[in-house]
Amino acid sequence: MKFITNKTLTLFIGVLGVNLTFAAPTPPVPTPPGPTPPPELPVDAGLMVLFFVSLIYAFYKIYTIKKVFRLRGH
């Protein structure tokens, strides 16, 4: 009986390994993405508060600017 040479053994294992690699099952089809989730923060709840705070801040800035001009004598 002759011994199998290294080249022949390597070629035989390589051919079998490639065959097993290509015989893998196909992956499943990906699921379609669902609807996007709603935003986490409500916009309507703080709009009136934001409006009144900005209005108060505007009156405060106008008052301080007029006060500075009165002190300077313009």
Side-chain angles (χ1 to χ4, degrees):
M1 234 173 120
K2 285 186 165 182
F3 289 104
I4 300 175
T5 61
N6 277 342
K7 290 181 183 179
T8 309
L9 184 61
T10 305
L11 181 65
F12 183 71
I13 291 174
V15 168
L16 285 180
V18 170
N19 189 18
L20 292 176
T21 304
F22 289 124
T26 58
V29 178
T31 59
T36 58
E40 299 294 327
L41 300 174
V43 177
D44 298 337
L47 284 180
M48 292 302 290
V49 173
L50 178 66
F51 175 74
F52 285 117
V53 168
S54 62
L55 195 64
I56 291 169
Y57 181 70
F59 283 127
Y60 170 75
K61 288 301 278 184
I62 291 170
Y63 173 75
T64 55
I65 289 172
K66 282 187 178 185
K67 186 177 176 182
V68 168
F69 277 127
R70 271 189 266 146
L71 290 176
R72 288 185 181 173
H74 288 111

